[in-house]
């Protein structure tokens, strides 16, 4: 190795580090896939804890028992999520036949203008229900595997909800647990990394929820003004879809336009499309830079690549988890870069303990401890 120039040795060292990190990451992904029934609920519970932490802290602040506060928080999320799902499903079921009929009429109109070129579109619309029936028959042939998947999903959802309860109730113990599990002499660094990672996830969930609420409210108001049926359900769909950046907004917006096309016609559908595009422009040029830049600083290209990678690894669930996990990784890297840059600069106390140990979900208590010390 001494015969190689300095640059070649550095390149070889970096290649070894990259290969080692890639190998560890690949093994981790394989293990997560093998134990997905346990891993997925934990990840979903962490997202839920990051999102529901402020509500739980408010309840604790008004002297509500920790267990009761965690239980009330979980009940609230069940009511909200269950209600949103019911509203969305009911709205889509009520307008499903109208969407098919509208698409058929639109295909006929295109066929009249395009002649023979539009015949295939008309045939496709005419046979859409037959295609769906055949697809349903094929899916029904695998009913046993389908039931097992549904059962597994329900079990993971219930486990995630229970984990949210325990994560919220015992959040004040996380700091001590992390420090006890850290190798000797690294407790401060490990705790700081864990805190940064959780803050990254919490920032993403908080910012995304705020943006999703604004998007859903604006689109719901627009749909109500245009008298589109199922406006509240479509607004709920927009809210849920916002947790999958870019793709969720596209899908929920497309559903809203199709519903408007089915019930109100082509002109109203164009107005709905204009409302959806205007809200997305508002989000991309105003809300995202103003809100997410204060919570999670990630370039849109990084977000899109992350979503694509998550989809290739774990499908829809991967798209949902990819961005918050990347936000956590960015938080860890930021902490390490800040810490070691300060150490190299010779800042006194840079490598010491953090100002105050802060457990995820207990920011208020940590601040009080810091002020007392």
């Amino acid at each position: 190795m001494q015969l190689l120039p300095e640059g070649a040795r550095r390149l070889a060292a970096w290649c070894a580090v990259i290969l080692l990190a890639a190998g560890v990451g690949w093994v981790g992904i394989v293990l997560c896939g093998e134990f997905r029934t346990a891993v997925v609920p934990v990840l979903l519970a962490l997202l839920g804890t990051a999102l529901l932490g402020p509500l739980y802290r408010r309840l604790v602040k008004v002297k509500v028992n920790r267990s009761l506060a965690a239980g009330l928080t979980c009940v609230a999320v069940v009511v909200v999520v269950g209600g949103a799902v019911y509203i969305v499903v009911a709205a889509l079921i009520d307008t499903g036949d109208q969407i098919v009929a509208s698409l058929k009429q639109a295909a006929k109109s295109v066929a009249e203008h395009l002649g023979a070129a539009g015949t295939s579109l008309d045939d496709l619309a005419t046979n859409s229900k037959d295609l769906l029936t055949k697809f349903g028959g094929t899916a029904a042939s695998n009913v046993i595997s389908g039931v097992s998947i549904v059962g597994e999903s329900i079990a993971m959802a219930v486990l995630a909800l229970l984990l949210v309860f325990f994560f919220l109730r015992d959040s004040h113990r996380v700091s001590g647990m992390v420090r006890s599990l850290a190798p000797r002499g690294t407790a401060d660094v490990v705790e700081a990394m864990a805190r940064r990672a959780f803050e990254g996830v919490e920032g993403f969930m908080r910012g995304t929820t705020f943006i999703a609420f604004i998007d859903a409210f604006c689109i719901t108001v627009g749909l109500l003004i245009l008298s589109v049926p199922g406006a509240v359900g479509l607004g709920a769909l927009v809210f849920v879809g916002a947790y999958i950046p870019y793709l969720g907004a596209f899908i929920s917006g497309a559903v809203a336009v199709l519903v408007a096309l089915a019930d109100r016609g082509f002109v109203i559908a164009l107005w709905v499309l204009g409302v959806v595009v205007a809200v997305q422009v508002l989000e991309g040029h105003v809300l995202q830079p103003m809100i997410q830049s204060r919570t999670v600083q990630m370039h849109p290209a990084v977000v899109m690549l992350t979503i694509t990678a998550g989809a290739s690894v774990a499908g829809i669930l991967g798209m949902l988890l990819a961005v918050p996990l990347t936000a956590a990784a960015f938080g860890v890297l930021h902490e390490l870069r800040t810490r070691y840059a300060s150490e190299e600069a010779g800042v006194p106390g840079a490598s010491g303990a953090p100002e105050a140990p802060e457990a995820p979900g207990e920011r208020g208590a940590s601040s009080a401890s810091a002020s007392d010390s």
Side-chain angles (χ1 to χ4, degrees), residues 142-309:
N142 298 323
V143 64
I144 297 179
S145 61
V147 169
S148 65
I149 292 175
V150 171
E152 180 180 338
S153 301
I154 294 175
M156 288 192 297
V158 172
L159 179 58
L161 184 63
L162 293 175
L163 289 175
V164 169
F165 171 81
F166 290 118
F167 287 172
L168 289 173
R169 190 192 66 177
D170 301 329
S171 57
H172 60 290
R173 303 176 182 175
V174 172
S175 177
M177 184 181 66
V178 169
R179 296 181 68 87
S180 65
L181 294 177
R184 181 176 301 177
T186 63
D188 295 333
V189 177
V190 172
E191 182 189 355
M193 291 168 58
R195 187 174 64 250
R196 284 282 191 174
F198 188 82
E199 287 176 354
V201 176
E202 190 178 36
F204 168 79
M205 296 299 293
R206 185 172 62 247
T208 301
T209 301
F210 188 66
I211 293 174
F213 176 78
I214 295 177
D215 288 354
F217 177 79
C218 294
I219 291 180
T220 302
V221 170
L223 296 177
L224 289 174
I225 293 175
L226 295 172
S227 300
V228 176
V232 177
L234 294 172
L237 181 62
V238 171
F239 181 85
V240 174
Y243 286 96
I244 303 178
Y246 304 111
L247 183 61
F250 173 78
I251 294 176
S252 59
V255 172
V257 172
L258 286 177
V259 172
L261 179 65
D263 187 80
R264 302 284 290 151
F266 184 73
V267 176
I268 298 299
L270 287 180
W271 278 102
V272 172
L273 179 62
V275 170
V276 172
V277 171
V279 171
Q280 296 304 321
V281 169
L282 173 66
E283 174 189 338
H285 291 81
V286 178
L287 298 179
Q288 287 281 0
M290 183 175 64
I291 297 174
Q292 290 288 36
S293 62
R294 299 181 180 181
T295 56
V296 180
Q297 297 182 354
M298 286 193 296
H299 194 275
V302 176
V303 175
M304 287 186 287
L305 290 175
T306 300
I307 294 174
T308 303

Side-chain angles (χ1 to χ4, degrees), residues 62-153:
V62 296
K63 307 302 182 182
V64 178
N65 179 269
R66 291 184 180 275
S67 298
L68 180 59
L72 292 175
T73 305
C74 292
V75 170
V77 73
V78 169
V79 172
V80 172
V81 173
V85 171
Y86 173 78
I87 292 173
V88 171
V89 172
L92 294 181
I93 290 177
D94 291 341
T95 57
D97 293 337
Q98 294 177 348
I99 292 175
V100 174
S102 179
L103 290 177
K104 184 186 296 186
Q105 183 62 37
K108 288 181 179 179
S109 300
V110 173
E112 292 175 358
H113 288 85
L114 300 181
T119 303
S120 59
L121 295 176
D122 182 42
D123 294 338
L124 179 60
T126 303
N127 298 324
S128 58
K129 286 190 175 181
D130 295 336
L131 292 175
L132 290 175
T133 302
K134 293 179 181 179
F135 178 79
T138 302
S141 63
N142 298 323
V143 64
I144 297 179
S145 61
V147 169
S148 65
I149 292 175
V150 171
E152 180 180 338
S153 301

